[in-house]
Amino acid sequence: SQKEEVVYGILNLDGSVDSIYVVNIFNGGNIIDYGNYSEVRNLTTAEKINVEGDKISISTEADKFYYQGTLEKKELPWDISIKYFLDEKEIPGTEVAGKSGRLKIAISINPNINVNSIFFNNYALQVAVTLDSRLCSNIEPGNATVAEAGGKKQLTYTCLPGNSVDIILAADIHDFEMEPVSINGIKLSMDIPVDSDELSVEISKL
């Protein structure tokens, strides 16, 4: 069956993987799919999903059908590490909330050698960090694109396909809290008239 899918990785505060699940999207009808899931959930109807080993099947009258599968294997194409430093001293992420001082966050992203490299080599990453301007000042965003939105600073970092990245940002904080870091892997698409092969060669040179 033809389908779309979105893979969600839930990370711990240090960047390690907590869980991974896939939302699979089909047109309605007789659906057959495959996946190594520890659990599946029907997100659209009350109809039962049939699971036989790695084979998933269902007949549905829904025009668009969504189901979620929790992956047994907790591996993403990227090896992500997030470290926190308060006044130059490294502290666990669990201890950052409510603190005051000079905070530095270091995010390191490298290829995961345990996963097919096709994803690392062909997907760009967008890393988004949102800081509350009431709680954070003197922000040093590094090489981020910075936007102001509703009293918050949105820091966006782009990592091109096939490249590792080290992100360092810093700010003076008080009574600190922040929204989760969001990292999106996407196929890079730019609506400009360029020779994509030539561009890829030049990016590789860089």
Side-chain angles (χ1 to χ4, degrees):
S1 303
Q2 295 298 311
K3 73 169 182 177
E4 299 174 76
E5 66 177 12
V6 182
V7 180
Y8 294 90
I10 309 301
L11 306 182
N12 297 306
L13 293 178
D14 63 357
S16 60
V17 177
D18 177 75
S19 61
I20 303 175
Y21 64 91
V22 183
V23 173
N24 301 282
I25 309 165
F26 294 85
N27 292 323
N30 296 319
I31 296 169
I32 296 177
D33 194 22
Y34 295 88
N36 294 315
Y37 299 129
S38 59
E39 180 185 8
V40 295
R41 292 177 55 198
N42 184 336
L43 301 178
T44 307
T45 68
E47 297 161 322
K48 181 182 178 181
I49 298 177
N50 302 304
V51 181
E52 300 176 19
D54 65 350
K55 181 180 178 181
I56 295 96
S57 61
I58 188 172
S59 294
T60 178
E61 296 181 358
D63 292 331
K64 207 76 172 177
F65 181 78
Y66 297 73
Y67 88 88
Q68 175 181 309
T70 301
L71 287 177
E72 294 179 352
K73 190 175 182 181
K74 297 181 180 181
E75 296 278 5
L76 290 172
W78 301 272
D79 183 17
I80 300 168
S81 169
I82 304 176
K83 295 182 178 180
Y84 309 84
F85 301 84
L86 187 64
D87 297 327
E88 299 300 326
K89 181 180 179 181
E90 184 174 356
I91 64 172
T94 53
E95 298 180 10
V96 177
K99 290 291 195 296
S100 299
R102 184 66 178 174
L103 175 68
K104 181 173 74 173
I105 301 176
I107 304 172
S108 178
I109 303 175
N110 294 289
N112 183 348
I113 61 174
N114 297 318
V115 176
N116 191 326
S117 62
I118 189 171
F119 296 100
F120 180 82
N121 291 329
N122 290 279
Y123 280 68
L125 290 183
Q126 292 180 333
V127 181
V129 179
T130 302
L131 299 176
D132 191 326
S133 297
R134 298 171 304 165
L135 308 178
C136 304
S137 60
N138 299 321
I139 298 172
E140 294 181 8
N143 59 346
T145 300
V146 182
E148 179 75 24
K152 296 180 179 180
K153 295 289 187 184
Q154 294 182 339
L155 314 180
T156 304
Y157 306 83
T158 301
C159 179
L160 294 174
N163 289 271
S164 298
V165 64
D166 289 302
I167 296 167
I168 297 179
L169 61 108
D172 292 331
I173 62 170
H174 67 88
D175 305 314
F176 184 70
E177 62 180 49
M178 68 178 288
E179 297 176 13
V181 175
S182 173
I183 304 174
N184 298 307
I186 57 172
K187 281 205 169 182
L188 191 61
S189 176
M190 296 180 291
D191 189 19
I192 53 176
V194 297
D195 184 326
S196 58
D197 291 335
E198 181 178 350
L199 179 62
S200 298
V201 170
E202 295 304 316
I203 288 175
S204 297
K205 288 180 181 178
L206 287 175

